[in-house]
Amino acid sequence: MIVNRSTAVSLSIFVALVLLTATTALLLRPRPIVLASTPTQPLTIAVGDEEVCTGSNLIANPSFEGDYPVYIMPAPGHPDCQTWSPDQPNQVCERVKLADDWHPYWLDTPRTEPWMNIQPEYVPSLPHEIPPRVRSGEKSQHYFSFWSTHEGGMMQQVSAVENGRYCFSSWGQAWSSRETLPGWVSDPNDHGELFQRVGIDPTGGTDWQSPNVVWGEMRMQYDEFGLFSVEAVAEAETITVFLWSRPNIPVKHNDVYWDDARLTLMESAQVTSGGLTKLLDVDKPTAVTHTIGISITETLAWSASLDPAGTLPASLSQMSGSSSSDVDLSFDSAGLSSGTYTTTVTVSVTPTVPGAPFTIPVTVHVVPELYETFVPLAVRP
């Protein structure tokens, strides 16, 4: 075929434009993440099956089972959720299908780009998925952002013992890749730099951005379940646990999976009795017994003592123990003249825990004359 000069020039210009367009597209695409000095190695972390939080599990629905209904936000709802329901404006979250007993949270600002900080889509993950995305039971909690980033996860509030030391853990993994690779696995050279971690708010708050939240290690955990854990001391009678994730790059697959959450009470000591004040008549000797309840976890031991400088002659039914016990403080006013007598009971714990040692002040007033007044009781027929 014979091509004239003008046609050849036009074809050359066309080919050059195609090459320039392709080169520009490659240069403008978000740069891939290259992992340190061994980018060809998988991003999974080899872990065993051993739990770090031992004891009774306090989490409700720890394995994320159930029907995964559409989540209804408490009023006033959230702008990312549906607005079509007149009696539940901004409360019906169609994109949030969540395991029972768990609650979602996510960052919604800034959104200066359409792919920034979107509401993740929450769905159940099922056992047939490859690679395995369910660690135990029939389901795990799965949420994701598609060609976008997110920061968020799930939380649950749990009743707690104030000053108790708690351990929270959950098994998590992620699938992160710019394109869909064979085997549906993450791309070690081109992924979303997706991090996961767990946290505890020891004050029981629900603001995951609060400085009160104690966070565990943050890391990438791709295509294989790894254990995330954290410890904290409860500062209230309720604590809140958080599952969190954040990808930094808006690749096609930024998917997160959580299963087998666990919250256990590691160490706790409580003394149920407060201070004691008694008013006694000098002419009516009285024997008094006051019970002090000592509650400890099985890893602790306790000891009790009376203030050696105390002026109240008293005794304790038990001075030490390695389990929860009731200890009787006893004294008798016989032989005591009018005046004020004091002592202090001190309960120490080994190894020490927050809140210990516990002190119980005891004060007895012996008076020359004690008058008792009885209030008449009226009973309605």
Side-chain angles (χ1 to χ4, degrees), residues 32 57 77-79 86 113 142 195 234 236 240 243 272 293 306 310-311 319 353 359 378 380:
N57 193 356
H78 192 286
E113 299 290 343
H142 173 202
F195 288 89
T240 309
L243 304 170
T272 58
L306 292 164
T311 56
M319 303 295 289
V353 296
T359 57
R380 179 178 297 178

Side-chain angles (χ1 to χ4, degrees), residues 24 52 55 62 86 116 118 143 147 154 170 182 201 273 285 309 339 361 364 373:
T24 302
V52 298
M116 292 180 64
I118 73 155
Y143 59 88
W147 289 115
M154 299 168 292
S170 186
D201 186 338
S273 173
V364 176
T373 302

Side-chain angles (χ1 to χ4, degrees), residues 46-300:
V47 293
D49 291 331
E50 186 175 352
E51 296 279 359
V52 298
C53 301
T54 58
S56 298
N57 193 356
L58 304 175
I59 290 291
N61 194 11
S63 191
F64 303 94
E65 305 299 327
D67 295 331
Y68 283 69
V70 171
Y71 187 80
I72 308 297
M73 277 275 184
H78 192 286
D80 285 342
C81 294
Q82 299 294 330
T83 59
W84 51 262
S85 177
D87 59 336
Q88 294 175 313
N90 297 331
Q91 291 181 255
V92 181
C93 299
E94 291 286 348
R95 288 170 49 86
V96 180
K97 296 177 177 63
L98 205 64
D100 291 339
D101 300 302
W102 292 92
H103 304 276
Y105 67 90
W106 63 88
L107 183 67
D108 56 9
T109 57
R111 285 179 177 166
T112 54
E113 299 290 343
W115 49 263
M116 292 180 64
N117 294 319
I118 73 155
Q119 176 193 7
E121 183 165 350
Y122 295 76
V123 294
S125 188
L126 302 174
H128 65 265
E129 296 182 38
I130 301 297
R133 307 294 188 182
V134 176
R135 186 172 180 270
S136 72
E138 296 297 322
K139 299 174 183 177
S140 68
Q141 182 68 65
H142 173 202
Y143 59 88
F144 61 91
S145 52
F146 186 71
W147 289 115
S148 55
T149 64
H150 70 264
E151 184 172 0
M154 299 168 292
M155 62 182 171
Q156 184 177 136
Q157 289 182 295
V158 183
S159 297
V161 176
E162 190 171 356
N163 290 321
R165 180 176 294 279
Y166 286 84
C167 177
F168 175 56
S169 68
S170 186
W171 295 84
Q173 65 166 286
W175 172 27
S176 187
S177 179
R178 184 174 301 279
E179 302 294 343
T180 304
L181 301 183
W184 298 278
V185 295
S186 302
D187 187 338
N189 295 309
D190 198 358
H191 57 91
E193 200 176 27
L194 200 164
F195 288 89
Q196 294 172 259
R197 63 180 175 177
V198 298
I200 298 175
D201 186 338
T203 68
T206 57
D207 179 6
W208 62 277
Q209 295 178 289
S210 167
N212 294 327
V213 180
V214 180
W215 291 103
E217 172 199 13
M218 181 173 65
R219 70 175 190 269
M220 292 180 287
Q221 179 71 43
Y222 288 172
D223 302 323
E224 179 180 341
F225 278 110
L227 188 63
F228 295 79
S229 64
V230 66
E231 295 179 12
V233 175
E235 299 176 20
E237 294 182 353
T238 300
I239 61 176
T240 309
V241 297
F242 296 92
L243 304 170
W244 175 96
S245 64
R246 183 190 67 203
N248 293 328
I249 301 173
V251 296
K252 182 177 182 180
H253 301 291
N254 276 321
D255 293 52
V256 180
Y257 307 85
W258 292 104
D259 207 355
D260 294 333
R262 190 172 190 84
L263 177 70
T264 59
L265 176 60
M266 299 175 63
E267 295 176 342
S268 172
Q270 284 185 303
V271 173
T272 58
S273 173
L276 173 66
T277 301
K278 295 290 289 186
L279 191 64
L280 302 176
D281 193 321
V282 69
D283 295 326
K284 298 179 179 179
T286 304
V288 176
T289 299
H290 180 66
T291 300
I292 301 169
I294 301 174
S295 176
I296 59 172
T297 50
E298 60 183 12
T299 58
L300 304 176

